Amino acid sequence: MTREGEESAWKGLFSYCTLGLVVAATAFWLTISKPEEIRVIPTEGAVHGMSASDASNQIYLCSQQVLTDVEAMEPLQAMRDGDMDLAIGSARALIDKDKWNVKNLMCAGDVFVAAPKDAGLQKEGYQDLQTAVHMVPASKWIRLNYARALARGERFEEAIEQYEKVTKDNLDIVPSLELARLYMDVDQDKALKLLHDLAVKSPDNSAVQMLLGIAMARNDEEKPGYEEYVQAYGKARAIGYPFEARDLVVKNHDSIPDAIKEQTDLVSKDKEDVDAKLMLAKMLIVQNKLPEARAVLDPEKEKLKDNAELHRLYAEIAHTDNKEDEALKEWAAANAIEKKID
């Protein structure tokens, strides 16, 4: 071998060894030396007692079940029951017990983000949720949980960024609809494109067509949007419930009457829950129980006169009742509210 060849070989070996040392040092920094508050590779704990690299653990964390299980955890149950003090205390206990447990981070993060502003927990909550994403970046469900928290906190640009990552490779209906709703407030063209793509993928999905109709109306296509909207109710009636109530119906063993009863009980329990009332009315409309739907909506009519969804529900009631002039009037009122918000 020539002197030049020997020098080249030694340089190559030196470069390779140097690269190896850099990689080893980086790994050491990430797992051992990196300050605990920013370490993203835990020594224990995507789920307590399991290594984050455990294959079955990774499969679980990348499944929708992780979201279902987090929502059933005690702090979030306490928050849903209206006991925020218990929710915060329980969430803090989770973090103190195991702050590298992904489910603990998700649950506590959701509670802290939703806590009253004067509690000063929002920043910590978002950090907890972001850490959970960093620990399992492949899980779209953990990222979706973070995106929803950002949207609830009106951090819309950040929420859209996370939703786009969730839906990048697969237009899952629920997160895609949530992203479309965010787009409707910032970019009508993106909203319409996404909804048209979803309509092609899921032509029988009533929620997609309803939102497409609303988006069209907001884009000055008021009459075509109305036609899309009322057609969507026809699709919902074919299965007996609106798409948004699917989980509730499944929970009640596919019994629509039981699902309606549970939603009615929810409304009775919390008379200030407007969204629950609107959902109950929509379920009743799909079942063609128009007087019952009116009984839910009429007491809220004055208080919710600036609520576009209320007017859209009245539009569908009137349309089903063959009162087309009244239906179009309510539809126009809903669109006027939407444009005022814009």
Side-chain angles (χ1 to χ4, degrees):
M1 180 181 293
T2 66
R3 179 178 294 276
E4 291 81 359
E6 289 177 354
E7 290 179 354
S8 177
W10 278 107
K11 287 179 180 178
L13 179 59
F14 178 76
S15 298
Y16 180 81
C17 291
T18 301
L19 177 61
L21 287 171
V22 170
V23 170
T26 301
F28 177 82
W29 182 76
L30 281 170
T31 58
I32 305 297
S33 299
K34 190 176 181 182
E36 191 171 53
E37 66 271 14
I38 56 175
R39 188 184 301 154
V40 296
I41 302 178
T43 55
E44 175 179 344
V47 175
H48 186 68
M50 289 185 176
S51 166
S53 61
D54 182 87
S56 61
N57 188 29
Q58 287 289 316
I59 292 171
Y60 167 71
L61 290 170
C62 289
S63 72
Q64 189 173 1
Q65 188 62 41
V66 68
L67 257 186
T68 302
D69 291 347
V70 166
E71 289 168 359
M73 292 173 73
E74 180 186 351
L76 288 173
Q77 287 184 338
M79 190 171 77
R80 285 192 295 271
D81 290 339
D83 193 339
M84 186 55 80
D85 289 339
L86 175 59
I88 292 172
S90 300
R92 179 63 62 201
L94 287 178
I95 295 298
D96 290 344
K97 178 181 179 181
D98 186 354
K99 66 180 178 181
W100 293 119
N101 182 305
V102 168
K103 290 166 64 178
N104 288 0
L105 288 165
M106 293 171 67
C107 180
D110 284 346
V111 170
F112 293 160
V113 166
K117 298 291 185 186
D118 57 9
L121 294 171
Q122 278 73 30
K123 182 178 179 181
E124 181 182 354
Y126 289 121
Q127 287 175 341
D128 287 343
L129 295 173
Q130 190 175 43
T131 299
V133 171
H134 285 169
M135 288 172 71
V136 196
S139 175
K140 66 182 179 182
W141 302 106
I142 295 173
R143 190 179 297 278
L144 176 60
N145 189 63
Y146 180 38
R148 286 171 170 168
L150 289 167
R152 288 194 298 270
E154 298 185 355
R155 295 169 61 162
F156 297 126
E157 289 186 9
E158 296 168 90
I160 286 172
E161 180 183 356
Q162 295 303 319
Y163 270 112
E164 287 176 341
K165 290 178 180 178
V166 169
T167 61
K168 180 179 178 182
D169 298 320
N170 190 342
L171 290 179
D172 292 301
I173 294 298
V174 172
S176 294
L177 283 171
E178 292 171 11
L179 175 57
R181 289 187 182 98
L182 290 176
Y183 278 156
M184 283 170 63
D185 291 329
V186 298
D187 192 325
Q188 285 293 324
D189 290 340
K190 280 188 175 181
L192 286 167
K193 182 183 184 308
L194 176 55
L195 288 165
H196 280 298
D197 289 346
L198 289 172
V200 170
K201 180 183 177 182
S202 303
D204 295 327
N205 190 295
S206 61
V208 171
Q209 192 170 7
M210 281 184 192
L211 195 58
L212 176 57
I214 294 167
M216 290 172 67
R218 288 180 69 162
N219 199 44
D220 296 324
E221 299 178 77
E222 194 161 296
K223 188 66 187 299
Y226 171 74
E227 291 170 356
E228 290 284 343
Y229 186 81
V230 297
Q231 287 174 17
Y233 264 96
K235 293 178 180 179
R237 287 186 175 92
I239 61 173
Y241 56 86
F243 176 83
E244 298 91 328
R246 180 184 59 179
D247 290 345
L248 180 61
V249 173
V250 170
K251 177 184 172 186
N252 282 276
H253 309 289
D254 294 329
S255 170
I256 297 170
D258 287 348
I260 290 175
K261 182 182 183 304
E262 181 173 336
Q263 191 69 15
T264 303
D265 291 342
L266 178 62
V267 169
S268 299
K269 182 179 178 182
D270 185 356
K271 298 187 183 303
E272 300 303 314
D273 191 338
V274 172
D275 290 336
K277 291 178 181 179
L278 295 177
M279 174 56 72
L280 175 58
K282 184 180 285 190
M283 295 172 74
L284 292 168
I285 292 168
V286 169
Q287 284 288 306
N288 289 321
K289 297 179 184 243
L290 303 186
E292 292 90 335
R294 282 191 178 277
V296 173
L297 296 176
D298 285 349
E300 310 297 325
K301 197 168 187 178
E302 183 58 31
K303 185 169 66 175
L304 300 180
K305 62 183 178 182
D306 293 328
N307 185 301
E309 181 66 9
L310 179 81
H311 290 282
R312 282 192 287 265
L313 293 176
Y314 273 120
E316 179 57 29
I317 289 173
H319 170 76
T320 306
D321 221 9
N322 295 315
K323 298 176 181 177
E324 206 64 12
D325 289 343
E326 182 182 334
L328 289 170
K329 182 180 177 182
E330 293 287 357
W331 181 254
N335 296 327
I337 292 168
E338 297 275 9
K339 289 179 180 179
K340 185 178 179 181
I341 294 172
D342 291 341

